[in-house]
Amino acid sequence: GVQTCALPIWVSEPGSSVNLSVALQPKAPFRVDRFHYNAFIALTCLDFLSDFSPGGFSLKWPNDLYWGDKKIGGILTENIISAGEWAWAVTGIGLNINQSAFPEGLAGAVSLKMATGLPHDPEELARQLHKLILLRMEEKIDVEKIMKRFNANLYKKGQSVKLKKGTIAFNTTISGVDEYGRLITEDAVERFFSVGEVEWMPASTE
């Protein structure tokens, strides 16, 4: 059978964002842990954005792109499983490009225009990003290098944050992300959290 899920819906002003879906057959190195594929896409988006404004961008575990302490984009991958095999990865990428103001409740958002002071053509950027992803996929995939770079660009690495697990909020320090895509933190003990196990508290409470 085939297992599919609906792609994420990105809410933005018309013509102000990149809203891109990319369907690819994952290469063998990504099959060890699917988080590696998401990290690959995230790093490609990070490199793409950094060409417009070097510095300031980071990757917030598990799937957000940040500029400073504000979210500039997000990535969600839905997996299509056929006959027990990971046949396709369909990734939805949303990047804020030209929006200058965000509605109440999205005060933690930012756009490329706000980061660079310049407007950009979202349609052209979508084409360029799509081309870059395809080119990167043709290169030799080194999962260890991908995770090393993911950690080097990890949001709040080495800093104290407030996370929430269930109904319990707690302070802890971000150490990194391991080879299985688990968030590693340290406080009284070293902790490992799988994707979806904890949520970030708002920056104002960290």
Side-chain angles (χ1 to χ4, degrees), residues 40-114:
F40 162 79
I41 296 290
L43 283 166
T44 304
C45 291
L46 181 81
D47 291 342
F48 181 75
L49 291 171
S50 295
D51 282 342
F52 296 93
S53 179
F57 293 103
S58 62
L59 303 173
K60 183 178 180 182
W61 180 89
N63 54 14
D64 287 336
L65 291 135
Y66 265 52
W67 184 73
D69 283 319
K70 295 190 174 185
K71 181 176 176 177
I72 195 168
I75 299 163
L76 285 175
T77 298
E78 302 294 346
N79 303 306
I80 298 178
I81 310 299
S82 180
E85 295 291 330
W86 187 19
W88 294 91
V90 185
T91 303
I93 301 170
L95 300 177
N96 300 325
I97 302 301
N98 289 327
Q99 203 153 332
S100 298
F102 292 87
E104 187 177 349
L106 291 177
V110 70
S111 69
L112 188 59
K113 180 180 179 181
M114 294 164 72

Side-chain angles (χ1 to χ4, degrees), residues 90-142:
V90 185
T91 303
I93 301 170
L95 300 177
N96 300 325
I97 302 301
N98 289 327
Q99 203 153 332
S100 298
F102 292 87
E104 187 177 349
L106 291 177
V110 70
S111 69
L112 188 59
K113 180 180 179 181
M114 294 164 72
T116 64
L118 298 171
H120 304 271
D121 181 349
E123 187 174 344
E124 178 58 29
L125 293 192
R127 289 194 187 97
Q128 293 176 10
L129 178 56
H130 179 252
K131 182 178 180 180
L132 181 61
I133 291 171
L134 296 182
L135 287 173
R136 291 280 177 90
M137 184 60 79
E138 291 303 313
E139 297 174 358
K140 181 180 178 181
I141 302 298
D142 186 333

Side-chain angles (χ1 to χ4, degrees), residues 61 164-166 170 182-183 192-199:
W61 180 89
K164 185 178 180 182
K165 181 176 181 179
F170 58 97
R182 298 180 301 178
L183 182 68
F192 297 83
F193 299 108
S194 299
V195 174
E197 190 175 354
V198 290
E199 60 182 293

